[in-house]
Each structure stands twice: as structure tokens, then as C-alpha cells.
Amino acid sequence: MSRQSSKAGLLNDVTTAAERYVVRTATTGTTVLLTPEDHADRVFILDTILTVSTLNFKLPAASGSGDVYTFVNNAVQTFGFIVSLNIATDYLTGVALMIEAVGGTDDVVFYTTATSDKVTFNATTTGGLRGDKVVAIDYKAGYYLVEVTAFPSGDVVTPFSAT
């Protein structure tokens, strides 16, 4: 029986809180190479403002494992952050719901393209405000299913790109 299907339920098991969440408080960006063994099915929380450089979370190769990687921004960023793929032959497929934070009428939905392999939050037009979220699911070899919710400012543009 998995932890998630146990009678107590994962939410009630306080001993697993450290296993479920990774809270990042460093203000310096870097590249974080994620591995299924250490990072799958965990929530990554950016709980501080990046003041020095951009942070890049690189997902492992997509194999169809069903592993889920969730990223939540809990600060108003001054530098952006990125969720990208570590393997050149992997791609993202999915959608980004962009909700303009300043209350304008530029709420938009963007879709990935055939070559999308990166989600960028630039702290303005593609998001980077408190509440941004990326959920990436390793759903088949070579592909992550991605759902992005972002709160950009200014004229909204797609957060998806190809490197």
C-alpha cells in the first residue's frame, strides 16, 4: 500500500512533510538538475525573492513514469525563474493560463508548440509574481504534460519557448 492510499492519508502524516515539500530560500539563482529518485512527486516552493540571478529547474528525461513535479512561486520576483528540460529530445505539451496581475483585460491562454521545452517567468510579462505555478507530469517517453498558471504584469506573452 502506498503512502498516499494509507488510512491516515498523506496530509495527516507529519513525518512526511519534509519529504513532500522543498522550500528554497536562497536568493541566488542556479541550475537545479532534478532526478526522479530525489525530486519526483514533491512540491518546490520558491519562498524568497531571487535578487542575484535566474533560477533554472531542469526536469529529468521523460520516460512515461507518471512522476509529477510541481513548482510554486511564493514571492514577487525581481529575477525570473525557469522550468526546462535537460534532454534535447524531450518536449512540453500543455497550456498556460496567464492572469494579468494588474487587473487588465489581457488574461490569455497559451499553448505549447511542437518544440516547446522551457517555461520562463521573467518577473514581468510571463509571470514571476506570487502564486505562479507549474505542474509537469512525465506522461510518456519524450513528453511532459505541463499546466502553468501565472500572474504576469504588463502586456502578457507566452512563457513557452524552445531552446
Side-chain angles (χ1 to χ4, degrees), residues 109-139:
V109 174
F110 289 105
Y111 298 94
T112 55
T113 67
T115 58
S116 296
D117 63 2
K118 180 168 49 171
V119 178
T120 302
F121 296 96
N122 64 6
T124 57
T125 59
T126 62
L129 303 179
R130 188 178 323 274
D132 296 330
K133 181 178 178 182
V134 176
V135 177
I137 302 169
D138 177 0
Y139 87 105

Side-chain angles (χ1 to χ4, degrees), residues 5-139:
S5 62
S6 69
K7 289 181 183 177
L10 193 57
L11 285 176
N12 297 326
D13 187 356
V14 294
T15 61
T16 64
E19 295 173 11
R20 292 181 291 150
Y21 300 103
V22 177
V23 179
R24 182 167 173 89
T25 57
T27 60
T28 302
T30 186
T31 297
V32 179
L33 297 173
L34 304 177
T35 63
E37 301 79 23
D38 294 332
H39 304 103
D41 303 315
R42 297 179 81 184
V43 177
F44 297 85
I45 301 170
L46 267 132
D47 209 27
T48 191
I49 298 171
L50 298 168
T51 58
V52 179
S53 58
T54 300
L55 174 62
N56 186 359
F57 291 105
K58 285 195 170 262
L59 295 165
S63 64
S65 67
D67 289 341
V68 179
Y69 301 85
T70 303
F71 308 89
V72 178
N73 178 32
N74 192 35
V76 177
Q77 298 299 332
T78 55
F79 276 85
F81 68 99
I82 298 168
V83 176
S84 65
L85 300 175
N86 196 31
I87 306 297
T89 56
D90 282 357
Y91 299 99
L92 301 172
T93 182
V95 64
L97 175 60
M98 311 296 284
I99 303 166
E100 188 178 347
V102 295
T105 58
D106 289 342
D107 298 348
V108 179
V109 174
F110 289 105
Y111 298 94
T112 55
T113 67
T115 58
S116 296
D117 63 2
K118 180 168 49 171
V119 178
T120 302
F121 296 96
N122 64 6
T124 57
T125 59
T126 62
L129 303 179
R130 188 178 323 274
D132 296 330
K133 181 178 178 182
V134 176
V135 177
I137 302 169
D138 177 0
Y139 87 105

